[in-house]
Amino acid sequence: MADPQLRPRYSGVATFFRTPLRDDAKGVDIGVVGIPFDGGVTNRTGARHGPRAVREQTTLVRRYNQATGVGPFDLVKVADLGDAWLEQPYELAGALDEIHAFFANVHAAGTVPLSVGGDHSVTLPILRAFAREGPIGMVHIDAHCDTGDDYLGSRFHHGAPFRRAVEEGLLDPKRVIQIGIRGSLNHPDMWKFSHDSGMRVVYMEEFTDKGWRWAAEEARKVVGTGPAYLSFDVDGLDPVFAPGTGTPESGGLSMIEAQRLIRELGGLDLIGGDVVEVSPPFDPSGLTAQNAASVLFEILCVLALAIQKRKG
Ligand code: MN
Ligand code: MN
């Protein structure tokens, strides 16, 4: 019973997937990190409470992926690295710098990050820490492209991280695919930057016409064999599956589509991933956190496969 995963799933202090809580990333292959920050939200707040709710729900997850047979805890060393909590959470640019400093330590330890937001602005400082050797690719599942420009006087918010990431040379837009895009717009060209920079934008209409298997194939084509990041905004899911989020948009992915899509990304050279925008105050049943935990487990499995492949 020294292994917390062997104890009854409802017992003990909640950590991500009941893995050991570690302060130091050294020797950890995949570090699961909470980022309780929602200072970049433009609409409904509450994603700062996401990590605690998702941690709780991941305690329900068992050891093996029934669909793929992957046992991530057998393949690699997984630990809960705690929260990237902030000393100055109300100072936006500084808060992103603090998040960057936390992930720079994770990067220095050679650990692959699997993060739970927080709003989507947190992905920018993660990319700053992990795309230092040159621009990387990305599979981005979301209702929104998040490539907007300054909003109400701020360069940094959850609708702009991937525009900033391209400007900072962290993402190669030609190796970025955005899946699940939909909803109403502030102006007709709201996601112009995605198109102009050469990102592959898969609107929900194309996704439903062609399906998750095609989308996975397209993602593999766009991302190629180089290093890539996987970012999953829970608002990419239909609000039926994820009502507890800041910017819900009707007509999104179902859970089975999301699960099967991620499973097909197992061969990519993934160097990190995240699940963001779970807002527990809008999630009274806990369904959004539960589905986020399930998505997190699917990402954990493909990250473990990528690490195993890199180790040879
Ligand atoms: Mn987003
Ligand atoms: Mn979104």
Side-chain angles (χ1 to χ4, degrees):
M1 289 288 156
D3 179 356
Q5 286 196 319
L6 298 179
R7 298 177 204 159
R9 290 184 292 147
Y10 51 81
S11 67
V13 177
T15 61
F16 284 119
F17 303 110
R18 289 172 294 130
T19 57
L21 182 63
R22 294 269 304 267
D23 281 333
D24 185 358
K26 203 159 169 264
V28 175
D29 293 311
I30 298 178
V32 196
V33 179
I35 314 174
F37 174 74
D38 59 16
V41 157
T42 57
N43 194 6
R44 310 195 306 194
T45 57
R48 71 182 64 175
H49 304 289
R52 191 166 284 178
V54 176
R55 245 190 203 95
E56 169 78 23
Q57 290 299 323
T58 61
T59 65
L60 300 175
V61 177
R62 301 179 187 84
R63 295 175 57 83
Y64 296 96
N65 190 317
Q66 182 165 247
T68 60
V70 173
F73 310 103
D74 294 350
L75 295 178
V76 296
K77 191 168 168 48
V78 185
D80 184 330
L81 298 182
D83 282 350
W85 64 273
L86 309 173
E87 291 182 17
Q88 295 188 300
Y90 311 118
E91 204 278 287
L92 180 52
L96 298 184
D97 289 343
E98 285 189 70
I99 294 169
H100 172 243
F102 183 98
F103 282 91
N105 284 331
V106 178
H107 179 265
T111 303
V112 168
L114 177 56
S115 309
V116 177
D119 73 60
H120 222 155
S121 68
V122 305
T123 305
L124 178 62
I126 298 172
L127 293 176
R128 283 174 178 163
F130 279 84
R132 286 195 301 199
E133 290 86 24
I136 62 173
M138 180 173 69
V139 179
H140 171 209
I141 298 160
D142 199 322
H144 316 95
C145 289
D146 294 353
T147 48
D149 207 347
D150 298 15
Y151 183 62
L152 302 178
S154 182
R155 276 176 65 67
F156 303 105
H157 55 86
H158 73 159
F162 302 124
R163 184 193 194 105
R164 302 283 97 96
V166 170
E167 290 169 351
E168 294 180 23
L170 307 171
L171 286 176
D172 175 358
K174 304 219 161 30
R175 294 185 54 228
V176 170
I177 184 166
Q178 308 188 289
I179 301 170
I181 311 305
R182 63 190 187 276
S184 51
L185 301 165
N186 283 328
H187 51 83
D189 264 352
M190 193 154 140
W191 305 131
K192 182 173 162 45
F193 184 87
S194 286
H195 292 283
D196 288 355
S197 65
M199 294 181 184
R200 176 70 169 99
V201 184
V202 178
Y203 291 91
M204 209 52 213
E205 291 70 25
E206 187 173 16
F207 182 88
T208 48
D209 282 348
K210 299 180 179 171
W212 61 267
R213 202 185 299 272
W214 166 85
E217 181 64 34
E218 188 73 0
R220 286 196 298 268
K221 242 187 268 175
V222 169
V223 167
T225 54
Y229 190 82
L230 174 51
S231 191
F232 194 106
D233 183 328
V234 283
D235 71 30
L237 295 170
D238 192 272
V240 162
F241 301 94
T245 193
T247 320
E249 307 284 0
S250 297
L253 273 73
S254 70
M255 265 310 288
I256 187 67
E257 287 170 330
Q259 289 166 330
R260 299 195 78 177
L261 172 59
I262 296 167
R263 285 170 197 156
E264 289 293 314
L265 304 178
L268 296 182
D269 187 27
L270 296 168
I271 61 165
D274 60 42
V275 177
V276 298
E277 300 280 355
V278 175
S279 178
F282 293 99
D283 191 32
S285 74
L287 174 67
T288 311
Q290 188 203 319
N291 282 330
S294 172
V295 167
L296 196 70
F297 181 65
E298 296 295 344
I299 299 176
L300 175 71
C301 290
V302 291
L303 287 179
L305 290 175
I307 291 169
Q308 194 189 33
K309 198 169 166 187
R310 282 197 291 272
K311 283 181 173 173

